Amino acid sequence: MDKHFSVLAINPGSTSTKIAVYQNETPLVEETIRHKRYELGDMDAQLRMRRDVVQSVLTQTGLKLSDMDAVVGRGGLIRPIESGIYTIDERMLADLSADAGLTHASSLGAPIAYDLAKEVGLPCYIVDPIVVDECEHTAKLTGLPGLERHSIFHALNQKAVARHCAKDMGMVYENGRFVVAHMGGGISVGAHRYGRVIDVNDALAGEGPFSPERTGSLPASSLIKLCFSGDYTEEELLDMVSHGGGMLAYLGTDDLRICEKMIMEGDEYAVLVLESMAYQVSKEIGAMVAALEGRVDAIVLTGGLAWSNRFTGSIKQHVSLIAPVKTYPGEEEMRSMVDGVLRVLRGQERAKTYEP
């Protein structure tokens, strides 16, 4: 009989903290604690608050840290690294506390996991952080020396769903070629070739399709003029691009369900916005097909927007002749983190040391 391993997983989001406890592949606890933006405070305050939230959930469910075999946190904005499971150490924490790391809530995952694990002497890890960088060198140049493209995307869910799709197709992920579109508050579309993501849009920096809350790629000249118009501060423009653009800017909502309700009530502008967003995702998929030299085993649609048949149907209309389109709504981030740690605990994979 397989040994039972218990793993605590922690995934901080911009306005939520997801907490799960798994015993092997079976979830014992799955909680999502919502936070009001005005309650969050600075990152140090958030670290304390979210760590207390995790402790509270464990107490309420009758579990203790000493019952666990390992703790895993969502990986944040550290330096670029290859895909894998990494042991959380002081060097990683130092990079997460730097200015760049403090701009994304996922950067709190490793410090929370480290603090909790340290209390009872447990190993702690991150799995496939958002900075996974396996891109080809030709994908990095932009046309302006000194300004390179970066690989920051939904690596955890993209990798997990691609593995899931490959298994469903009777394949091994490392032997396949997939285009994966993660479609949530931000949208990232990656070209997966034999287990490596060789190109992907940097959704955090404003590349690719517009999304429910992000602008995506913008005309450079028009954006430069906007920057020097005097109408906005740097912080306001950064917030506009990352949190106040896309569907939210057009319709006043970042909820696709509300957009679809508007469509049902006859709002033709809402139709245009949704169809335009789907069109831009389709174009990005086409670009990743080119990165894979036109040989694709499947196009995979995932993330919260993939629950919408209308939205995915519009994308399929554009790309279904290229390759089979597989849909996996939602995300598998918690299970993916746990699966990675289980592979380490079972001796199937070695945890890597953070050496960027």
Side-chain angles (χ1 to χ4, degrees):
M1 179 178 290
D2 290 341
K3 180 178 178 181
H4 291 297
F5 290 108
S6 296
V7 179
L8 169 63
I10 304 155
N11 184 357
S14 58
T15 57
S16 68
T17 302
K18 295 180 181 179
I19 303 149
V21 175
Y22 276 69
Q23 187 174 81
N24 290 352
E25 284 77 15
T26 302
L28 302 180
V29 175
E30 290 182 309
E31 294 278 351
T32 299
I33 308 301
R34 303 290 178 184
H35 312 297
K36 302 292 186 182
R37 285 194 182 273
Y38 66 84
E39 297 173 337
L40 292 174
D42 62 24
M43 294 297 266
D44 286 338
Q46 287 194 49
L47 176 62
R48 294 189 295 271
M49 181 270 289
R50 293 177 192 254
R51 183 178 57 209
D52 291 344
V53 163
V54 177
Q55 290 274 29
S56 176
V57 168
L58 290 177
T59 300
Q60 292 170 13
T61 54
L63 295 170
K64 297 179 291 186
L65 281 172
S66 57
D67 297 329
M68 304 298 132
D69 293 285
V71 183
V72 59
R74 177 78 184 276
L77 286 170
I78 49 179
R79 300 178 191 274
I81 54 176
E82 288 195 336
S83 176
I85 302 107
Y86 288 82
T87 300
I88 301 171
D89 59 20
E90 296 289 346
R91 185 174 182 179
M92 182 186 296
L93 295 176
D95 281 350
L96 286 168
S97 66
D99 289 344
L102 294 178
T103 62
H104 200 274
S106 64
S107 294
L108 294 168
I112 294 171
Y114 183 84
D115 283 356
L116 293 173
K118 191 176 179 180
E119 287 185 23
V120 289
L122 295 175
C124 53
Y125 308 96
I126 62 169
V127 180
D128 288 342
I130 59 176
V131 294
V132 165
D133 188 348
E134 301 166 334
C135 288
E136 299 283 281
H137 293 304
T138 50
K140 294 296 188 71
L141 270 62
T142 62
L144 184 62
L147 191 66
E148 289 194 347
R149 297 183 65 238
H150 298 283
S151 175
I152 299 178
F153 70 110
H154 306 89
L156 184 63
N157 192 52
Q158 280 212 25
K159 290 264 185 177
V161 172
R163 289 189 180 97
H164 191 164
C165 178
K167 183 177 180 181
D168 287 348
M169 296 176 68
M171 302 173 59
V172 176
Y173 169 60
E174 288 75 12
N175 294 338
R177 302 164 75 97
F178 306 92
V179 175
V180 182
H182 176 105
M183 306 176 299
I187 295 175
S188 63
V189 184
H192 296 237
R193 185 180 68 192
Y194 308 138
R196 297 174 65 84
V197 182
I198 62 168
D199 197 358
V200 64
N201 65 293
D202 181 350
L204 186 62
E207 283 189 342
F210 76 77
S211 74
E213 60 183 35
R214 296 177 184 168
T215 63
S217 298
L218 297 170
S221 296
S222 299
L223 180 59
I224 291 169
K225 289 178 181 178
L226 192 65
C227 291
F228 285 90
S229 67
D231 294 332
Y232 305 96
T233 65
E234 178 183 353
E235 290 75 17
E236 287 171 339
L237 283 168
L238 287 171
D239 187 68
M240 185 188 303
V241 168
S242 298
H243 304 294
M247 187 171 71
L248 177 61
Y250 287 121
L251 300 179
T253 180
D254 59 1
D255 191 329
L256 187 60
R257 293 167 298 183
I258 294 177
C259 173
E260 291 186 321
K261 183 174 183 292
M262 294 167 70
I263 291 171
M264 293 292 291
E265 293 171 350
D267 190 324
E268 294 186 1
Y269 188 58
V271 174
L272 174 63
V273 172
L274 184 141
E275 292 296 325
S276 297
M277 187 163 64
Y279 175 71
Q280 289 197 6
V281 173
S282 304
K283 285 206 302 181
E284 196 71 20
I285 289 171
M288 294 303 126
V289 170
L292 293 173
E293 300 162 328
R295 293 187 289 132
V296 182
D297 294 303
I299 295 167
V300 185
L301 307 180
T302 185
L305 302 187
W307 289 109
S308 168
N309 290 329
R310 184 184 190 110
F311 187 65
T312 58
S314 182
I315 295 171
K316 290 175 184 178
Q317 190 172 12
H318 287 97
V319 303
S320 60
L321 291 180
I322 298 171
V325 180
K326 309 290 184 179
T327 304
Y328 295 85
E331 45 83 13
E332 300 181 10
E333 290 177 342
M334 303 302 280
R335 174 63 185 271
S336 305
M337 291 193 292
V338 172
D339 283 347
V341 172
L342 287 174
R343 292 196 297 272
V344 171
L345 295 176
R346 291 166 176 165
Q348 299 167 345
E349 189 171 332
R350 289 175 64 94
K352 298 179 181 179
T353 300
Y354 177 60
E355 296 176 339

